[in-house]
């Protein structure tokens, strides 16, 4: 697992985003669309991707771009569990 993470981080399209936004920032997240506490981190990362004009790659099928104002399907790429296990 660590080797695959290192490989992904070494890819030319990978970028590190410093935390320049806050969960408490008004209007950052549509809290009424959050299904439970497990989605908070992923929703924050989606908001961070939107702030950087980029895309979040994620495994959580429940994550919805509508949870973050200004997000679209272009900001989120969900990898299916079958594809992740096969790779």
């Amino acid at each position: 697992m660590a080797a695959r993470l290192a490989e992904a981080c070494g890819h030319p399209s990978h970028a590190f985003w410093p935390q320049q936004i806050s969960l408490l920032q008004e209007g950052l997240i549509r809290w009424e669309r959050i299904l439970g506490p497990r989605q908070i981190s992923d929703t924050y990362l989606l908001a961070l991707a939107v702030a950087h004009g980029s895309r979040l790659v994620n495994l959580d099928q429940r994550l919805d771009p509508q949870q973050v104002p200004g997000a679209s399907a272009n900001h989120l790429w969900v990898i299916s569990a079958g594809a992740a296990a096969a790779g």
Side-chain angles (χ1 to χ4, degrees), residues 9 22 24 39 41 45-46 49 52 54-55 64 66 68 87:
C9 290
S22 169
L24 301 178
Q39 286 191 305
S41 295
L45 292 173
L46 178 58
H52 285 274
S54 198
R55 177 184 293 169
D64 182 353
Q66 293 184 10
V68 176

Side-chain angles (χ1 to χ4, degrees), residues 12-87:
S13 66
H14 177 268
F16 174 78
W17 299 324
Q19 295 179 342
Q20 299 174 325
I21 58 176
S22 169
L23 281 173
L24 301 178
Q25 183 177 328
E26 189 172 329
L28 180 73
I29 292 174
R30 291 187 178 115
W31 290 101
E32 69 278 5
R33 295 189 178 266
I34 304 296
L35 300 177
R38 293 182 183 166
Q39 286 191 305
I40 294 173
S41 295
D42 288 340
T43 303
Y44 172 81
L45 292 173
L46 178 58
L48 194 59
V50 171
H52 285 274
S54 198
R55 177 184 293 169
L56 173 66
V57 178
N58 198 303
L59 296 170
D60 189 348
Q61 302 282 333
R62 299 171 303 165
L63 191 57
D64 182 353
Q66 293 184 10
Q67 294 168 329
V68 176
S72 69
N74 292 330
H75 292 106
L76 179 62
W77 182 13
V78 178
I79 300 173
S80 69

Side-chain angles (χ1 to χ4, degrees), residues 1-11 14 59 79 81-87:
M1 182 66 84
R4 291 189 69 198
L5 178 59
E7 180 183 345
C9 290
H11 193 276
H14 177 268
L59 296 170
I79 300 173

